[in-house]
Amino acid sequence: MEIVMENPVTLAWLGDAIYNLKVRETILASGKCRPDVLQKTAAKYNSAVGQAKVLDALLERDLLNEDEKEIVRRGRNAHVKSPAKNADLKTYLKATGLEALFGYLSLYHHEERMEELLTICMDLGETL
């Protein structure tokens, strides 16, 4: 495994932006254009609950390699100071783990793998 020195919360901060951008691109590509529909649809994907469900599906289907599972584990074990208002701590930390994964993949230049997993996540998100 690569030596990853970044705090998992820092990785999650970056991963949140990457995930959010992919969600927005996916929603726009689906042809939705009314602002209220865009926001409601994005919230479904970007909520801690939605991200936790996507992570659970990735893990259940064994779609992550060992390095990726380790980053997710670090994200889930992170010490957060302000958890989400609309999710319990366990759910919030799962979402943090998913976001940390995408922060890691981006920061360590695993772009192809990041795109592969983002596509899978968007497909899973459509089922939420």
Side-chain angles (χ1 to χ4, degrees):
M1 177 174 178
E2 293 172 297
I3 298 174
V4 178
M5 300 301 295
E6 287 74 25
N7 181 314
V9 175
T10 303
L11 292 174
W13 177 77
L14 177 59
D16 177 57
I18 292 163
Y19 195 83
N20 189 18
L21 179 59
K22 184 65 172 184
V23 165
R24 289 173 183 230
E25 290 172 346
T26 300
I27 294 168
L28 287 176
S30 75
K32 295 177 181 163
C33 60
R34 288 189 24 223
D36 61 323
V37 174
L38 293 172
Q39 189 56 35
K40 285 179 186 175
T41 306
K44 181 176 74 169
Y45 285 85
N46 285 328
S47 70
V49 172
Q51 289 179 348
K53 286 180 182 178
V54 167
L55 178 61
D56 286 341
L58 290 174
L59 293 171
E60 286 169 12
R61 296 172 187 186
D62 201 27
L63 296 173
L64 302 180
N65 65 39
E66 291 306 313
D67 290 351
E68 294 163 350
K69 287 177 186 175
E70 176 61 20
I71 295 297
V72 167
R73 185 193 64 76
R74 287 182 58 203
R76 284 193 319 225
N77 291 335
H79 296 286
V80 294
K81 298 197 189 261
S82 56
K85 296 173 189 165
N86 299 320
D88 60 49
L89 183 60
K90 183 177 179 182
T91 301
Y92 182 75
L93 289 173
K94 281 184 182 181
T96 301
L98 181 69
E99 292 170 346
L101 172 62
F102 289 111
Y104 157 75
L105 292 171
S106 175
L107 198 59
Y108 287 83
H109 308 290
H110 300 288
E111 289 87 4
E112 190 173 308
R113 178 64 173 158
M114 183 176 68
E115 282 302 318
E116 177 185 356
L117 287 175
L118 281 169
T119 299
I120 292 168
C121 289
M122 295 306 106
D123 292 343
L124 291 169
E126 288 178 10
T127 66
L128 299 177

